[in-house]
Amino acid sequence: MSLKNDIAAFLAKEFPQTKVTLEEVGPMSAIVRHKIGVEELRPGGAVSGPVMMAVADVALYVAILGEIGLEALTVTTNLSMNFLRKPSADADIIGECRLLKLGKRLAVGEVTIYSEGMIEPVAHAVGTYSIPPRVAEE
Amino acid sequence: MSLKNDIAAFLAKEFPQTKVTLEEVGPMSAIVRHKIGVEELRPGGAVSGPVMMAVADVALYVAILGEIGLEALTVTTNLSMNFLRKPSADADIIGECRLLKLGKRLAVGEVTIYSEGMIEPVAHAVGTYSIPPRVAEE
Amino acid sequence: MSLKNDIAAFLAKEFPQTKVTLEEVGPMSAIVRHKIGVEELRPGGAVSGPVMMAVADVALYVAILGEIGLEALTVTTNLSMNFLRKPSADADIIGECRLLKLGKRLAVGEVTIYSEGMIEPVAHAVGTYSIPPRVAEE
Amino acid sequence: MSLKNDIAAFLAKEFPQTKVTLEEVGPMSAIVRHKIGVEELRPGGAVSGPVMMAVADVALYVAILGEIGLEALTVTTNLSMNFLRKPSADADIIGECRLLKLGKRLAVGEVTIYSEGMIEPVAHAVGTYSIPPRVAEE
């Protein structure tokens, strides 16, 4: 199995409710997708904020898993979102994560969030995950 | 109808998917609740992050509505969350919002998030909403 | 010597450039002051942003020191500021910190920042400090 | 005079205390520098946090000025910093800003902060500036 498949299977087990799916995982990076349908839209056609927060959270999580291996105990400690533009009601949401730091105890990354096909981002996030101590390390 | 009932009805119309319900709205403040069931839990019993983000977002929104009236065009521009402790799997999530500023163009508030019955907060959020220009005002 | 005096002396040694002084340290809390003079003002009389950031950073630091003891290796990992109102040019800046979490590895707190004598805050901050592992602990 | 020189002159007038200097201003972007000397260092050789916050704040400000023209009333509303690594005591601090959004009322950008000569960033910031209404616009 590839790393991508391993992480996708792990994600499905750890976050069974999530609709976020893994597109790519690379060095210090990941790309995820959230299909947009009626359930993700508010009246008027706006993609709801929690959908974009879920994209940011999962994108960070899988980028970290790609570096440290499948580690369920890793938890979000901080997530800061800026909502920039109204997303399209007709396009999936894509999150592109780049890790800024991967330390022994903390990982920090940014996620740029797009409506698929739009050039300008609809949101931007920065998040911190706490990584549990490994045996015989700290 | 009371202000609380008006806002609850508006919330149901504007955020039809949300499970967040209004408990109280007061001067520059609001309290909301999110029932926790199987759908809100990850394996191991953790309340998922997007649930707590939704609580923060709605708590801010209704506190602002309580001050400016029912205004659908108000949108979140920034939401920063700190996750502090593992929430209880058996208790509802309660969000208590206090507005720090209510300007003509921006409102800023903080939300302290609890598992009902716990003394220490499980998360804390600060958010900014952009308020649309009113006719003949700016 | 009192705890307050110990921390004030430690602060003077560790942050020799800072103009922030300690007013009070209490359980999970601290109050600090920054005198405002010509050096802290921009043309037009606005207190500069970095002055308020320094107040937030030091208020968090001393509140943590009050709980864990004098520990130079504690470092800021995240600081998020919201600037709410124009501070007075004629009043000192006061920062009131309340810790939201004091864990073994991370401490999180909020700081409400006032121009002395004003009722409404001029800024609000939330910050995270990383606490180094203690010997034989982790 | 070039745009760069105009902005540098404006910066010196509006922020007379700042040691941050303009390196480049480009489309939706700017690069700034802060010389590091004894005054910027804490005992042990760490560059102080407020120095890096000033770099982030000024980098955002000049990137916005490069787009909207010299506008003194633009003010920071939010600044969120992540401190990633210990900066070098012997190198200047460089801030590279990229604007994520330039709206009529709000501009949002990110700033990646380096010790000159290091490949990995020492800090990362995201900030929001409020842009005043222009005559006959809103």
Side-chain angles (χ1 to χ4, degrees):
Chain A
M1 286 239 297
S2 70
L3 176 63
K4 181 181 161 186
N5 288 346
D6 286 352
I7 293 176
F10 186 79
L11 190 63
K13 181 163 69 76
E14 289 296 318
F15 288 90
Q17 304 100 332
T18 195
K19 293 184 171 178
V20 184
T21 55
L22 179 56
E23 293 277 301
E24 282 186 47
V25 58
M28 298 286 274
S29 64
I31 302 177
V32 301
R33 173 185 297 268
H34 195 305
K35 283 209 175 300
I36 298 301
V38 172
E39 281 185 51
E40 283 72 36
L41 298 179
R42 291 173 44 188
V47 175
S48 76
V51 166
M52 287 185 280
M53 296 180 219
V55 167
D57 197 31
V58 174
L60 280 158
Y61 188 61
V62 298
I64 295 167
L65 294 184
E67 292 292 331
I68 70 169
L70 305 179
E71 172 58 80
L73 295 176
T74 301
V75 294
T76 317
T77 58
N78 177 264
L79 186 65
S80 179
M81 303 271 319
N82 279 281
F83 300 95
L84 304 171
R85 293 172 187 86
K86 190 179 172 181
S88 168
D90 305 318
D92 288 356
I93 292 288
I94 306 292
E96 300 187 359
C97 175
R98 178 173 68 103
L99 296 183
L100 295 163
K101 175 186 177 169
L102 183 70
K104 266 191 288 192
R105 310 205 311 171
L106 290 176
V108 181
E110 64 168 337
V111 185
T112 310
I113 297 174
Y114 299 90
S115 282
E116 194 170 29
M118 281 176 65
I119 288 172
E120 294 186 304
V122 297
H124 182 268
V126 179
T128 302
Y129 267 74
S130 178
I131 299 170
R134 259 69 64 89
V135 175
E137 181 185 328
E138 285 188 292
Chain B
M1 287 240 294
S2 69
L3 175 63
K4 181 181 161 187
N5 288 345
D6 286 352
I7 293 177
F10 186 79
L11 190 63
K13 181 162 67 78
E14 288 296 317
F15 289 89
Q17 304 100 331
T18 194
K19 294 184 170 177
V20 184
T21 55
L22 179 57
E23 294 277 300
E24 282 185 48
V25 59
M28 298 286 275
S29 64
I31 302 177
V32 301
R33 173 185 297 268
H34 195 306
K35 284 209 176 298
I36 299 301
V38 173
E39 282 185 51
E40 283 72 36
L41 298 178
R42 291 173 44 188
V47 175
S48 76
V51 166
M52 286 186 280
M53 296 181 220
V55 167
D57 197 32
V58 174
L60 281 158
Y61 188 62
V62 298
I64 295 166
L65 294 184
E67 293 292 332
I68 70 169
L70 305 179
E71 172 57 81
L73 295 176
T74 301
V75 293
T76 318
T77 59
N78 178 264
L79 186 65
S80 179
M81 303 272 316
N82 279 281
F83 300 95
L84 303 170
R85 292 172 187 87
K86 189 178 172 181
S88 168
D90 306 318
D92 288 357
I93 293 287
I94 305 294
E96 300 187 0
C97 175
R98 177 172 70 101
L99 295 183
L100 295 162
K101 175 186 178 170
L102 183 69
K104 267 191 287 193
R105 309 205 311 171
L106 290 177
V108 181
E110 65 169 336
V111 185
T112 310
I113 298 174
Y114 299 90
S115 281
E116 194 170 30
M118 280 175 65
I119 287 171
E120 294 186 304
V122 297
H124 181 268
V126 179
T128 302
Y129 268 74
S130 178
I131 300 170
R134 260 69 64 89
V135 175
E137 181 185 326
E138 287 189 288
Chain C
M1 286 240 295
S2 69
L3 176 64
K4 181 180 161 184
N5 288 345
D6 286 352
I7 294 176
F10 186 79
L11 191 63
K13 181 162 69 76
E14 289 294 319
F15 290 89
Q17 304 100 331
T18 194
K19 293 184 171 179
V20 184
T21 54
L22 179 57
E23 293 278 300
E24 281 185 49
V25 60
M28 298 285 277
S29 63
I31 301 176
V32 302
R33 173 185 297 269
H34 195 306
K35 285 208 175 299
I36 299 301
V38 172
E39 281 185 54
E40 283 73 34
L41 299 178
R42 292 173 44 189
V47 175
S48 76
V51 166
M52 287 185 280
M53 297 181 220
V55 167
D57 197 32
V58 174
L60 280 159
Y61 188 62
V62 298
I64 295 167
L65 294 183
E67 292 291 332
I68 69 169
L70 305 179
E71 172 58 80
L73 295 176
T74 300
V75 293
T76 317
T77 59
N78 178 265
L79 186 64
S80 178
M81 303 271 316
N82 278 280
F83 300 96
L84 304 170
R85 292 172 187 84
K86 190 179 173 179
S88 167
D90 305 318
D92 288 356
I93 292 287
I94 306 293
E96 300 187 359
C97 176
R98 176 173 70 103
L99 295 183
L100 295 163
K101 174 184 178 171
L102 183 70
K104 266 192 286 193
R105 310 206 308 173
L106 290 176
V108 181
E110 64 168 336
V111 185
T112 310
I113 298 174
Y114 299 90
S115 280
E116 194 169 30
M118 280 175 67
I119 287 172
E120 294 186 304
V122 297
H124 181 268
V126 178
T128 302
Y129 267 74
S130 177
I131 300 170
R134 261 68 65 88
V135 175
E137 180 185 329
E138 286 190 290
Chain D
M1 284 241 295
S2 69
L3 175 63
K4 181 181 162 185
N5 288 346
D6 286 352
I7 294 176
F10 186 78
L11 190 63
K13 182 163 68 76
E14 289 295 319
F15 289 90
Q17 305 98 333
T18 194
K19 293 183 171 179
V20 184
T21 54
L22 178 56
E23 293 278 300
E24 282 185 49
V25 59
M28 299 284 276
S29 64
I31 301 176
V32 302
R33 173 185 298 268
H34 195 306
K35 283 207 176 300
I36 299 301
V38 172
E39 280 185 53
E40 282 74 34
L41 298 179
R42 293 172 44 190
V47 175
S48 76
V51 166
M52 287 185 280
M53 296 181 220
V55 167
D57 197 33
V58 174
L60 280 159
Y61 188 61
V62 297
I64 295 166
L65 294 183
E67 293 291 331
I68 70 170
L70 305 178
E71 172 59 79
L73 295 176
T74 300
V75 294
T76 316
T77 60
N78 177 265
L79 187 64
S80 179
M81 304 271 318
N82 279 280
F83 300 95
L84 303 170
R85 294 173 185 83
K86 190 178 173 182
S88 167
D90 306 318
D92 288 357
I93 293 287
I94 305 293
E96 300 187 359
C97 175
R98 176 173 71 102
L99 295 183
L100 295 163
K101 175 185 177 170
L102 183 70
K104 267 191 288 193
R105 309 206 309 172
L106 291 175
V108 181
E110 64 169 336
V111 185
T112 310
I113 298 174
Y114 299 89
S115 281
E116 193 170 30
M118 279 175 68
I119 287 171
E120 295 187 304
V122 297
H124 181 268
V126 178
T128 302
Y129 267 74
S130 178
I131 301 171
R134 260 71 64 91
V135 174
E137 180 186 329
E138 287 189 289

